[in-house]
């Protein structure tokens, strides 16, 4: 019985890692599609979201099933509660990658970004990919030092998000077209939320590893 | 022991209702502050978000504690799992109300909205308030017919959200200022997400009441 339980806990942790790897692929491809107006790659990201939803739902069912049958306590119970929350955040991160891909598809064959925003979004995309990679590592190795690194990356992302708005509003010499403003505002918001969810996952892992309640 | 458990389940349900009532107040005040550039009301909404976060955290701790001590099964377990998810959605709805209030505060003493968007945002605000009220009713009375009503309201909200974008992009005769476009895009997105979370809660209640897994 105890051995079955240990196996089930491992399966739940593996499921989270697998979900995080799908998110990493989704955000890498979505930002590449966005930067390069690659409609085929955008389509691939949009289609792959179904897999993420299915995997998250399966994982949640497994957690609920283990809660019912094994009635875990202490750190095992914390893993269950954290898993339910982390799977929701991972699912949402994949949705945000999908939204970025949808922007690329919607404007195709035109570029989504005006030239003067390319560099800032390249930076945001790079941070997103780093965050996704750190989340995979955190879930796999459970090394708490990764948590701080994820928070630092999110600070960088928030700074870039503010810069995007400053640039949109100060761009009086060469005013942007309305569709450019719409796309830039939405894309920047999607990146910012992607980072917020990465931090939410880092906090859940902190809770699971430390047993301390999650701080705001 | 059983009586204590029943009392604890009631407390969790009451906590969810209380949280939903705070969301209802927050969105009603936030949209009023937004429409009327009422900075004092906006401040009140922004400050009240702390209460929501605290109540949600307390509720989650109680759920985890009950899971550990009472080891519920069947519909009692479903209530626990659903509560964790619903408290996350309610907390997020309050955040979105706060974001709407922040837009109002940020532009003050100017109006956030250009005149030709006032009517459409008045409609969105009305739907938000109705959804919040339906969520309170659903959590309190657990009447499944409310679930369909919430989905229908969300469809109306999504339609208005699309109309906002159409209007921003078609406004070629009287082009909007960049800051207006930024505010309108963000505000509309906040309303849309508010509705999505209301639907997520409705789905969780459907799961709790029916025992059927949550559909996408």
């Amino acid at each position: 019985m105890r051995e079955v339980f240990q196996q089930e806990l491992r399966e739940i942790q593996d499921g989270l890692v697998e979900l995080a790897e799908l998110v990493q692929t989704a955000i890498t491809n979505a930002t590449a599609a966005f930067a390069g107006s690659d409609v085929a790659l955008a389509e691939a990201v949009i289609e792959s979201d179904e897999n993420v939803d299915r995997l998250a739902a399966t994982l949640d069912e497994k957690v609920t099933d283990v809660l019912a049958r094994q009635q875990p306590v202490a750190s095992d119970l914390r893993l269950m509660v954290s898993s339910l929350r982390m799977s929701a955040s991972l699912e949402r991160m994949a949705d945000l990658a999908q939204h970025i891909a949808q922007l690329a598809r919607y404007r195709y064959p035109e570029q989504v970004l005006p030239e003067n925003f390319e560099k800032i979004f390249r930076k945001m995309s790079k941070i997103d990919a780093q965050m996704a990679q750190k989340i995979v590592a955190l879930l796999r190795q459970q090394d708490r030092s990764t948590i701080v690194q994820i928070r630092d990356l999110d600070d960088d992302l928030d700074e870039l998000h503010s810069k995007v708005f400053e640039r949109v509003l100060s761009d009086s010499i060469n005013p942007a077209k309305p569709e450019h403003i719409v796309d830039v505002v939405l894309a920047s918001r999607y990146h910012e939320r992607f980072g917020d969810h990465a931090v939410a996952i880092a906090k859940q892992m902190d809770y699971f590893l430390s047993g301390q309640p999650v701080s705001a």
Side-chain angles (χ1 to χ4, degrees), chain A:
Chain A
M1 182 69 175
R2 190 72 202 162
E3 211 173 288
V4 171
F5 182 38
Q6 288 308 320
Q7 174 63 21
E8 286 176 330
L9 292 181
R10 266 196 305 277
E11 280 171 19
I12 287 167
Q13 292 184 319
D14 291 348
L16 286 167
V17 170
E18 194 185 342
L19 209 45
E21 284 171 339
L22 290 180
V23 168
Q24 192 181 359
T25 305
I27 194 68
T28 304
N29 289 340
T31 52
F34 184 84
S37 294
D38 183 337
V39 74
L41 194 56
E43 296 276 4
V45 173
I46 293 162
E47 277 166 32
S48 72
D49 195 55
E50 231 175 70
N51 293 335
V52 175
D53 291 350
R54 204 179 312 121
L55 186 58
T58 308
L59 190 64
D60 289 351
E61 275 168 48
K62 185 182 275 291
V63 169
T64 311
D65 179 55
V66 171
L67 275 171
R69 282 187 299 100
Q70 306 279 8
Q71 312 193 321
V73 294
S75 89
D76 295 338
L77 175 59
R78 289 205 303 278
L79 175 65
M80 300 296 119
V81 171
S82 291
S83 292
L84 289 172
R85 290 189 178 138
M86 290 191 287
S87 76
S89 278
L90 288 166
E91 196 192 327
R92 193 70 206 129
M93 289 168 90
D95 284 346
L96 291 163
Q98 190 189 26
H99 290 344
I100 290 170
Q102 281 164 335
L103 284 179
R105 184 175 67 172
Y106 193 67
R107 291 287 169 240
Y108 180 83
E110 284 186 51
Q111 286 272 344
V112 183
L113 283 181
E115 234 173 70
N116 54 340
F117 282 93
E118 278 178 14
K119 196 172 156 197
I120 201 163
F121 275 95
R122 203 154 53 226
K123 284 186 191 170
M124 289 182 119
S125 302
K126 200 177 152 192
I127 295 176
D128 286 347
Q130 285 172 328
M131 287 182 118
Q133 183 258 315
K134 297 266 176 221
I135 291 289
V136 172
L138 177 61
L139 290 168
R140 188 177 276 146
Q141 282 124 31
Q142 309 190 344
D143 175 353
R144 289 186 66 194
S145 68
T146 316
I147 293 168
V148 182
Q149 294 165 14
I150 291 168
R151 282 179 183 270
D152 288 347
L153 284 169
D154 189 52
D155 289 343
D156 297 344
L157 202 53
D158 287 345
E159 215 172 284
L160 291 168
H161 182 55
S162 299
K163 271 196 193 156
V164 166
F165 284 82
E166 274 169 37
R167 184 161 304 170
V168 167
L169 298 178
S170 70
D171 205 8
S172 51
I173 303 159
N174 177 23
K177 287 193 259 178
E179 59 265 39
H180 280 158
I181 301 179
V182 169
D183 288 350
V184 159
V185 167
L186 286 178
S188 188
R189 173 82 184 151
Y190 298 151
H191 284 283
E192 188 222 357
R193 290 297 299 154
F194 188 90
D196 289 346
H197 281 288
V199 169
I201 292 169
K203 283 183 186 172
Q204 283 302 319
M205 281 304 284
D206 199 21
Y207 162 72
F208 165 56
L209 297 170
S210 72
Q212 296 302 309
V214 175
S215 63

